[in-house]
Amino acid sequence: MIVLNNYLCKGCGYCVKFCPKQILKMGEERNKRGFFYPVVTDKEKCISCAICASMCPEGAIELPAKGEE
């Protein structure tokens, strides 16, 4: 399951666009910096592929190691 640092997110939407399972969508809340940030719509469908994390230019997404979830 992905961990999103909402503060670092600038709302670019790359993670949403490139998620192969389409489980991310842009949320309706803003972070403290004024940007809309993504939310996970179905955490059970996440395959931990890390594409979202690799596409994030701000490094706002991490995937915990197995067992640390």
Side-chain angles (χ1 to χ4, degrees):
M1 174 68 179
I2 67 172
V3 176
L4 175 71
N5 182 332
N6 297 339
Y7 181 76
L8 291 177
C9 181
K10 288 188 178 174
C12 69
Y14 290 155
C15 58
V16 174
K17 181 177 181 177
F18 291 102
C19 176
K21 294 296 183 177
Q22 299 299 298
I23 62 163
L24 293 168
K25 72 171 189 169
M26 292 309 289
E28 297 178 5
E29 294 183 33
R30 295 178 187 263
N31 63 17
K32 291 182 179 182
R33 297 168 61 195
F35 298 107
F36 290 103
Y37 57 89
V39 293
V40 179
T41 59
D42 190 348
K43 63 182 175 184
E44 298 299 318
K45 289 185 180 178
C46 180
I47 58 172
S48 299
C49 65
I51 292 173
C52 57
S54 65
M55 294 307 298
C56 181
E58 304 305 319
I61 301 175
E62 296 180 11
L63 270 83
K66 295 269 185 197
E68 292 182 16
E69 299 171 343

